[in-house]
Amino acid sequence: MNTILFRHINQFVSMGAKEFEEIILYFTPEKAAKKALLMHIGDTVLHDYFVLSGCLQMYFIDHEGMEHTVQFALKGWWLADYLALQKKKPTEFYIQAVENSVLLKLSPAKRDQLLCAYPKMESYFRAVYQIAYGTYQTRMKYILSYSKEEIYFKFRESFPEFVNSVPQYLIANYLGLSAEYVSKLRRKRIS
Amino acid sequence: MNTILFRHINQFVSMGAKEFEEIILYFTPEKAAKKALLMHIGDTVLHDYFVLSGCLQMYFIDHEGMEHTVQFALKGWWLADYLALQKKKPTEFYIQAVENSVLLKLSPAKRDQLLCAYPKMESYFRAVYQIAYGTYQTRMKYILSYSKEEIYFKFRESFPEFVNSVPQYLIANYLGLSAEYVSKLRRKRIS
């Protein structure tokens, strides 16, 4: 049994092992090698990914060719372009594996079937998206109220496991900082 | 019948007039005068607000006493501190009415009862939060890829109704710009 997803679901709704064995059939296990591209700009069939191990990154490339990280997903997190997924529109983002990752993939068709057959999965995803949405509200608070230096150190304090498992240049990119600036901050803190 | 909420629900799930008449009983109508404070930092009983007319603003005050707008809600939008609401923790934000507003208020207790009694409302809120979450992902794309000037004009293009109904200084605040800078941009575009 996939205990990571089973436990995650049971944080929000009550589900027994037997029912979970039915539900897990809707998901496709997938291994993604480091740097593998799982979603490409313009894709219309958008999967929702649950991370069992490793790390995913959602990013876009701006009109000057610069890559910007919008979001990461670590073990126990979901990741998709949720606006495009809901509206069945082409995505404007990419998703790639930051490191070798093991995932559960939910296709749009299977997702619709799952939500229809198991109403408690609507409750589960309602809670998951509500928290993700609320986390963005709080993220805006950080962006608007702290200096870049403060954001970096608060981020390190809040997510030490994350900072240790994701390359430094990607964290810098996610926080909107240059890799050189982050190196300078790290040296400053150590000295 | 409250047609605004009825139509909004029917964008996502199928609900007849009779069932809607049962559901509407869970909501409390509320009139909020301009500048009325509906949620205060530290509040633990957090209501979810649906805007029938007017406009709400969610904001926080930083350690230097500066007010920052995290989010607005216009007619047909929901607003709450969703992380605090889900985790039943005190909020770090304020919600106030930008102008005289008419609202439907859903208390935490009524919300739990509603979601339990009407599983299709789980589907409805799942879709609402999924879109709101996805909108934040797209908002991050704007913040990361455009200059402040470009963001202002793209915002005007995308939400003309909003720009016309919300005071200029609040839009500036929401976009992280000074009111003076926005006045300068407006003059520049007109000239």
Side-chain angles (χ1 to χ4, degrees):
Chain A
M1 191 170 71
N2 190 305
T3 51
I4 299 171
L5 182 60
F6 179 70
R7 283 188 194 150
H8 198 256
I9 291 173
N10 273 282
Q11 279 180 34
F12 303 102
V13 295
S14 174
M15 182 177 289
K18 195 167 167 293
E19 194 175 13
F20 182 75
E21 293 303 330
E22 294 163 22
I23 276 176
I24 199 70
L25 300 175
Y26 289 80
F27 295 83
T28 310
E30 182 159 318
K31 285 188 182 178
K34 183 175 175 172
K35 300 277 183 193
L37 209 58
L38 301 167
M39 186 177 82
H40 188 280
I41 184 171
D43 284 352
T44 49
V45 180
L46 303 179
H47 303 274
D48 203 357
Y49 291 98
F50 183 76
V51 181
L52 297 174
S53 70
C55 178
L56 300 183
Q57 175 205 15
M58 188 161 118
Y59 67 94
F60 67 94
I61 296 170
D62 71 16
H63 44 289
E64 287 170 355
M66 289 286 288
E67 187 180 307
H68 298 275
T69 303
V70 168
Q71 203 169 334
F72 288 108
L74 293 174
K75 178 178 147 182
W77 294 19
W78 284 95
L79 189 61
D81 172 353
Y82 289 104
L83 196 58
L85 180 61
Q86 178 69 24
K87 294 186 179 278
K88 302 187 193 301
K89 283 168 60 178
T91 181
E92 297 176 6
F93 298 98
Y94 299 82
I95 293 179
Q96 79 167 2
V98 172
E99 53 191 60
N100 291 337
S101 301
V102 183
L103 314 162
L104 288 174
K105 186 168 88 170
L106 190 55
S107 75
K110 288 283 181 192
R111 185 173 181 266
D112 288 347
Q113 291 167 23
L114 174 68
L115 292 172
C116 186
Y118 295 89
K120 71 171 66 171
M121 291 303 284
E122 287 277 20
S123 310
Y124 167 66
F125 280 113
R126 193 264 306 152
V128 166
Y129 298 149
Q130 185 182 327
I131 289 173
Y133 173 31
T135 303
Y136 258 97
Q137 291 177 320
T138 301
R139 186 173 164 194
M140 285 308 298
K141 183 168 182 281
Y142 271 73
I143 291 173
L144 293 168
S145 60
Y146 294 111
S147 71
K148 289 185 168 188
E149 183 170 339
E150 285 170 326
I151 286 176
Y152 175 73
F153 288 115
K154 280 188 182 287
F155 191 79
R156 278 184 70 98
E157 269 170 41
S158 304
F159 306 102
E161 186 203 345
F162 185 65
V163 171
N164 292 328
S165 66
V166 171
Q168 203 66 32
Y169 77 93
L170 280 180
I171 293 171
N173 188 279
Y174 175 67
L175 297 174
L177 309 172
S178 71
E180 294 71 28
Y181 184 72
V182 167
S183 294
K184 214 172 92 181
L185 288 180
R186 292 182 76 192
R187 283 197 303 274
K188 192 172 161 185
R189 177 55 62 101
I190 294 162
S191 62
Chain B
M1 190 171 73
N2 189 305
T3 51
I4 299 172
L5 181 59
F6 180 70
R7 283 188 195 150
H8 198 255
I9 291 174
N10 273 283
Q11 280 180 33
F12 303 103
V13 295
S14 174
M15 182 177 287
K18 195 167 169 291
E19 193 175 15
F20 182 74
E21 292 304 329
E22 294 164 23
I23 276 175
I24 199 71
L25 300 174
Y26 289 79
F27 295 82
T28 311
E30 183 159 317
K31 285 188 181 177
K34 184 176 174 171
K35 299 277 182 193
L37 208 57
L38 302 166
M39 186 177 82
H40 189 280
I41 183 171
D43 284 353
T44 50
V45 181
L46 302 180
H47 302 274
D48 203 356
Y49 291 99
F50 183 76
V51 181
L52 297 175
S53 69
C55 178
L56 300 183
Q57 175 204 15
M58 188 161 118
Y59 67 94
F60 67 93
I61 296 170
D62 72 15
H63 46 287
E64 286 170 356
M66 289 286 288
E67 189 180 306
H68 299 274
T69 303
V70 169
Q71 203 168 335
F72 289 108
L74 293 175
K75 177 178 147 184
W77 296 18
W78 284 95
L79 189 62
D81 172 355
Y82 290 103
L83 196 60
L85 180 62
Q86 177 69 24
K87 295 187 178 277
K88 300 185 195 303
K89 283 169 61 178
T91 181
E92 297 176 7
F93 297 99
Y94 300 83
I95 291 179
Q96 80 167 1
V98 173
E99 52 190 63
N100 291 337
S101 303
V102 183
L103 314 161
L104 289 173
K105 186 167 88 171
L106 190 55
S107 74
K110 288 283 182 192
R111 184 172 182 267
D112 289 346
Q113 290 166 24
L114 174 68
L115 291 173
C116 186
Y118 296 89
K120 71 172 66 171
M121 290 303 283
E122 287 277 20
S123 309
Y124 167 66
F125 281 113
R126 193 263 306 152
V128 166
Y129 298 149
Q130 184 184 326
I131 288 173
Y133 173 30
T135 302
Y136 258 98
Q137 290 178 321
T138 302
R139 185 173 165 194
M140 285 309 298
K141 183 168 181 280
Y142 272 72
I143 292 174
L144 293 169
S145 59
Y146 294 111
S147 72
K148 290 184 168 190
E149 185 170 336
E150 285 170 324
I151 287 175
Y152 175 73
F153 288 115
K154 279 187 182 288
F155 190 79
R156 278 184 70 97
E157 270 171 39
S158 305
F159 306 102
E161 186 203 345
F162 185 64
V163 171
N164 292 329
S165 66
V166 171
Q168 204 65 34
Y169 78 93
L170 280 179
I171 293 170
N173 187 279
Y174 174 68
L175 297 175
L177 309 171
S178 72
E180 295 72 28
Y181 184 72
V182 167
S183 294
K184 215 170 88 182
L185 288 181
R186 291 182 76 193
R187 285 197 302 274
K188 192 172 161 185
R189 178 55 65 102
I190 294 161
S191 62

